[in-house]
Amino acid sequence: MKKNLLIAPSILSSDFSRLGDEISDITNAGADMIHIDVMDGHFVPNLTIGPDIIKSIRNHTDLMFDVHLMIENVDKYIPIYSNAGADIITIHSEVSKNISNSIKLIQNHGKKAGLAFNPSSSIEILNEVIEKLDLVLIMTVNPGFGGQSFMNDQLEKIVATKKIIDKSNSYTLLEVDGGINENNIQDVVNCGANTIVAGSSIFNGTKDDYKMNIEKLRIY
Ligand code: DX5
Ligand code: ZN
C-alpha cells in the first residue's frame, strides 16, 4: 500500500444528475482530493463545468478541489474559478501567453498553481518555471473526454518531469491524468508520479464500489 500517493477522482465520470451525493460518496470512499475537469469547447471539443457548479458542490466535502482548466483565456477565468472554491488551479502550457504571470495570478488569489502538458507538448518550459509551481500535470490521454486508453508513450515524459522536479529540490506534486486503472498504475508510480487522477476506473459500479475502486489503485 502506497501511503503517500494522492488519489484524485475525476468527477467527469460521475453521475451529474446527483453530483452533490457523488462528491459526498467519493469523499467517504477515501478520495484525497476532488479533480474537476473544466472544458470550454475551444481548447478541447467538449464543454463541462462552470464556476456556479463548483460553488454549488463546495459544501459537500472538505477535500481540496483540484481544478483542471482545459480552457483558453485562462487569466480571465483564474479569479472566477478561485472565487468559486478551487484550491489548486491547473492551466495548460499550450494556452497561457505568459505562464509565469498566470502562475502568479493563481497564487495571488491564495491558490496552488499547476501546469499541464498535452501528450504532444514539450515540457522544456518546466526548466524555467518549476520552482514557482505547486503541481505539474502530465496528460496520458488527449484531453477532452473520460474513459480513453492510457498512452504508454507518455511514461518517459513522467520520468523526465520527475528529474526536473528532483533537480529543483521543490515540493512540486507530479500528477498524471488519463486512462489510469489498476493495471497500469504501478508503471505510473514507478515513473515518479505521486498524484493520480482517475475517472472511469473509480466511478465504476455503484457508490458501494467506490472504496474498493480507490483501494485497488493504492494496492499494487
Ligand atoms: C480528460 C480529463 C481527465 C479524465 C480522466 O480530459 O482531464 O481528468 O476525466 O478520466 P479517465 O480516468 O476515465 O481517463
Ligand atoms: Zn483532468
Side-chain angles (χ1 to χ4, degrees):
M1 168 130 167
K2 190 90 183 168
K3 285 230 172 73
N4 48 5
L5 191 65
L6 296 176
I7 304 284
S10 162
I11 59 168
L12 194 56
S13 298
S14 69
D15 178 351
F16 281 165
S17 72
R18 308 170 35 252
L19 191 52
D21 289 343
E22 289 277 72
I23 301 278
S24 308
D25 291 340
I26 209 66
T27 301
N28 294 333
D32 295 304
M33 52 190 190
I34 307 289
H35 186 82
I36 302 177
D37 288 307
V38 175
M39 306 186 187
D40 67 352
H42 294 281
F43 178 61
V44 289
N46 201 358
L47 270 169
T48 57
I49 300 172
D52 288 344
I53 296 181
I54 296 184
K55 258 185 220 160
S56 75
I57 54 176
R58 187 55 281 189
N59 64 0
H60 285 258
T61 182
D62 291 329
L63 294 180
M64 298 223 291
F65 277 180
D66 172 31
V67 175
H68 177 191
L69 294 183
M70 284 160 275
I71 64 173
E72 293 173 1
N73 294 325
V74 278
D75 291 352
K76 177 176 171 191
Y77 290 101
I78 286 167
I80 295 171
Y81 279 92
S82 293
N83 295 336
D87 297 289
I88 302 172
I89 297 185
T90 297
I91 58 168
H92 263 265
S93 58
E94 300 82 9
V95 297
S96 178
K97 295 196 176 65
N98 185 328
I99 287 175
S100 292
N101 275 1
S102 299
I103 294 170
K104 219 180 282 163
L105 185 60
I106 295 169
Q107 291 167 339
N108 285 345
H109 280 84
K111 311 298 178 184
K112 295 197 182 306
L115 189 61
F117 294 86
N118 280 348
S120 62
S121 298
S122 157
I123 56 166
E124 192 75 42
I125 185 76
L126 275 183
N127 291 300
E128 285 169 40
V129 297
I130 191 70
E131 273 151 28
K132 301 171 185 152
L133 282 170
D134 300 295
L135 179 149
V136 177
L137 171 51
I138 301 299
M139 293 300 303
T140 43
V141 297
N142 284 311
F145 302 94
Q148 303 182 75
S149 297
F150 182 84
M151 295 168 74
N152 273 304
D153 60 0
Q154 295 304 300
L155 289 171
E156 272 175 39
K157 199 194 274 183
I158 302 170
V159 173
T161 305
K162 168 79 171 135
K163 276 194 191 139
I164 296 173
I165 293 172
D166 286 349
K167 208 169 88 191
S168 75
N169 265 328
S170 58
Y171 289 101
T172 313
L173 291 174
L174 176 41
E175 182 174 62
V176 178
D177 182 4
I180 299 180
N181 57 43
E182 59 184 300
N183 301 317
N184 55 30
I185 186 154
Q186 177 142 29
D187 294 337
V188 176
V189 174
N190 286 348
C191 288
N194 51 24
T195 306
I196 301 296
V197 177
S200 48
S201 64
I202 291 181
F203 286 99
N204 185 13
T206 69
K207 71 179 171 104
D208 299 327
D209 300 308
Y210 295 169
K211 191 169 195 286
M212 188 182 69
N213 295 343
I214 290 177
E215 276 166 12
K216 274 189 195 158
L217 296 180
R218 292 196 199 276
I219 300 165
Y220 50 84

